[in-house]
Amino acid sequence: MVGKQGYVLETEICTMICEKYNLHLYIVRATLRRIYPEMSLLKRRMSDDLKRFYKLEVKGYPIAYMPDK
């Protein structure tokens, strides 16, 4: 997802993993927090500018993971 879109929303990836492997959300989020640096990802809040750049139509400022270039 990160390769195609340039980002992945934390809610999307966590929900997908929870449903696929039948895990609790808090376990997936905690694990993701530990491993995202090893995956060469940056964790960022999506500002209004970033949401416009990626053409995202979501409320609030969701957390996204982006490649660390």
Side-chain angles (χ1 to χ4, degrees):
M1 290 176 89
V2 175
K4 287 182 181 179
Q5 297 177 340
Y7 72 93
V8 65
L9 295 178
E10 183 181 58
T11 53
E12 288 177 354
I13 193 73
C14 288
T15 303
M16 186 175 57
I17 292 170
C18 286
E19 289 174 358
K20 185 172 181 174
Y21 297 105
N22 197 25
L23 297 170
H24 293 282
L25 184 60
Y26 71 92
I27 292 171
V28 175
R29 280 193 176 147
T31 304
L32 191 55
R33 268 185 252 134
R34 283 196 323 263
I35 66 169
Y36 79 88
E38 296 171 18
M39 297 172 64
S40 297
L41 296 174
L42 294 173
K43 181 179 176 180
R44 296 284 180 254
R45 274 231 183 252
M46 296 293 270
S47 65
D48 289 333
D49 293 334
L50 282 174
K51 289 193 296 186
R52 272 193 297 276
F53 179 79
Y54 288 112
K55 297 176 179 79
L56 248 164
E57 298 286 332
V58 295
K59 292 183 179 182
Y61 303 99
I63 295 172
Y65 293 92
M66 302 170 182
D68 185 12
K69 295 182 180 179

